[in-house]
Amino acid sequence: MKTTIIFIITVLFVTQVSFNSKEPANKAALGEMLFSDPILSRDRTISCASCHKPAFAFADTAAVSLGVKNKRGIRNTPTAMNISSQRTFFWDGRAKSLEEQALAPIENPDEMDLSIAEAVQRLNENAAYQQYFRNIFNAPPNSTNLAIAIAAFERTLETSNSPFDNWKFSDDSMAVSDAAKRGFLLFNGKAQCVKCHFGADFTANEFRNIGLFNGKELNDSGRAVISGDKTETGKFKTPGLRNVAITAPYMHNGMFKTLREVIDFYNEPDKFVEKAIDRDTILAKPMGLSEEEKNDLLAFLRSLTDKRFN
């Protein structure tokens, strides 16, 4: 008991001192502070950044993340980067705004497991946060400005300085390899990737059933749970592809450890999941990619990594 009390006092003291050393200048800076602060989890052991790791494009490196008391989540943690233009959030699209998304992990019993009311109370009891919120919002911490701050930070996590960008938009023909250039042609042609992944962030913001639902070992119903539409069973949000080379593992359940496995799956889905239910017609037939073509496609996907991660 004595050790526990000393630990709690130490954490609170260090937190208070660290806040006083760097006052946030705006909503996004305050959001960044909150994003990395375990004060928003029930036992003060994890933060948003525990699962959205900055070094991995704000994704996790585990198939599913661990919440408070090592509770296992049910889905892979997606990147928090390049999402400001998205219309829905989470794999099943349950949130319709970044502000709504920002609060959900705090309340989730498998993640941070803290009611928003208690989170707000903690912030109000913290002299530093009390002052920061008043300086920036002219109001004490509340659920609305808490969500606004975190969402403001997430909107700053945009990247557009990859080798691909330098090649296509700065006319630097040497920015990517010949393999990546061939891979880009495959992406838009034979491999059919562009049918789901297009636009600035390489996503159509749609929900697709790519064949990872068979009602047995793969039984996550995905979008259907939210929409109530049985025809959306097994559908999940199409993720963006910027920085995809450093956000492994992949898919809503983290079942693929490497990008090469992802490419192999799309090339011949039946080899990975037998008797998939209602798989999208785009994947009705094997694509027939050669080994060289797979490597070229991989080279293209790697070219989407922003230079900040080099």
Side-chain angles (χ1 to χ4, degrees):
M1 175 66 74
K2 182 178 180 181
T3 302
T4 301
I5 293 173
I6 292 173
F7 172 75
I8 293 174
I9 292 174
T10 301
V11 169
L12 292 176
F13 176 76
V14 171
T15 300
Q16 184 75 32
V17 170
S18 65
F19 288 160
N20 288 335
S21 64
K22 184 182 179 183
E23 183 172 345
N26 51 42
K27 295 174 185 177
L30 176 58
E32 182 176 12
M33 183 177 287
L34 292 162
F35 194 89
S36 300
D37 196 339
I39 193 174
L40 297 178
S41 65
R42 175 164 294 282
D43 57 7
R44 301 176 190 258
T45 59
I46 66 170
S47 68
C48 303
S50 298
C51 301
H52 293 281
K53 297 177 170 62
F56 297 94
F58 289 82
D60 203 354
T61 55
V64 295
S65 299
L66 298 179
V68 296
K69 298 181 180 180
N70 289 323
K71 293 180 181 178
R72 285 178 59 84
I74 60 172
R75 292 175 182 159
N76 179 254
T77 299
T79 177
M81 301 194 83
N82 301 294
I83 58 174
S84 63
S85 63
Q86 294 185 14
R87 299 188 295 271
T88 58
F89 302 87
F90 296 107
W91 284 103
D92 53 21
R94 80 186 82 129
K96 295 183 179 180
S97 71
L98 263 177
E99 286 75 14
E100 183 181 354
Q101 176 276 325
L103 297 184
I106 300 173
E107 296 183 289
N108 191 316
D110 293 329
E111 297 182 52
M112 299 165 82
D113 192 30
L114 186 68
S115 72
I116 299 304
E118 189 170 353
V120 168
Q121 180 180 341
R122 286 187 184 183
L123 295 175
N124 275 291
E125 291 172 350
N126 183 291
Y129 272 131
Q130 173 83 236
Q131 188 62 50
Y132 298 159
F133 273 84
R134 287 190 180 278
N135 289 347
I136 294 170
F137 290 101
N138 196 30
N142 56 53
S143 60
T144 299
N145 55 30
L146 169 60
I148 289 172
I150 295 176
F153 168 61
E154 291 178 324
R155 288 191 176 95
T156 70
L157 302 178
E158 298 292 305
T159 59
S160 59
N161 188 27
S162 68
F164 171 80
D165 293 304
N166 296 158
W167 170 45
K168 294 301 291 184
F169 306 116
S170 298
D171 296 323
D172 182 357
S173 62
M174 302 299 291
V176 301
S177 65
D178 289 339
K181 293 173 183 176
R182 293 192 300 268
F184 182 56
L185 293 176
L186 286 164
F187 185 91
N188 289 286
K190 183 177 179 180
Q192 304 184 81
C193 310
V194 74
K195 290 187 176 181
C196 300
H197 297 279
F198 58 84
D201 296 322
F202 299 91
T203 175
N205 286 305
E206 298 173 331
F207 296 92
R208 297 269 188 168
N209 180 343
I210 62 171
L212 298 183
F213 179 86
N214 60 12
K216 297 178 181 178
E217 74 278 8
L218 298 174
N219 60 3
D220 188 335
S221 297
R223 179 65 177 166
V225 175
I226 304 302
S227 68
D229 184 350
K230 291 184 178 180
T231 66
E232 294 195 299
T233 299
K235 288 188 176 183
F236 293 91
K237 185 179 170 185
T238 302
L241 296 181
R242 285 192 174 274
N243 308 306
V244 68
I246 59 172
T247 61
Y250 303 100
M251 306 306 183
H252 70 276
N253 55 6
M255 67 183 290
F256 297 131
K257 296 180 180 179
T258 67
L259 269 181
R260 178 55 191 262
E261 286 183 76
V262 174
I263 293 171
D264 286 340
F265 165 75
Y266 279 120
N267 191 49
E268 295 182 273
D270 285 329
K271 283 192 173 182
F272 292 81
V273 180
E274 294 183 354
K275 298 181 179 180
I277 298 174
D278 294 331
R279 186 174 65 209
D280 198 291
T281 55
I282 294 175
L283 299 171
K285 298 179 180 179
M287 288 186 289
L289 297 176
S290 67
E291 290 302 302
E292 181 181 5
E293 288 173 328
K294 291 178 184 179
N295 291 333
D296 289 345
L297 193 55
L298 181 59
F300 162 68
L301 293 173
R302 286 173 174 164
S303 78
L304 300 178
T305 305
D306 194 82
K307 292 182 179 179
R308 67 186 286 181
F309 296 112
N310 288 345

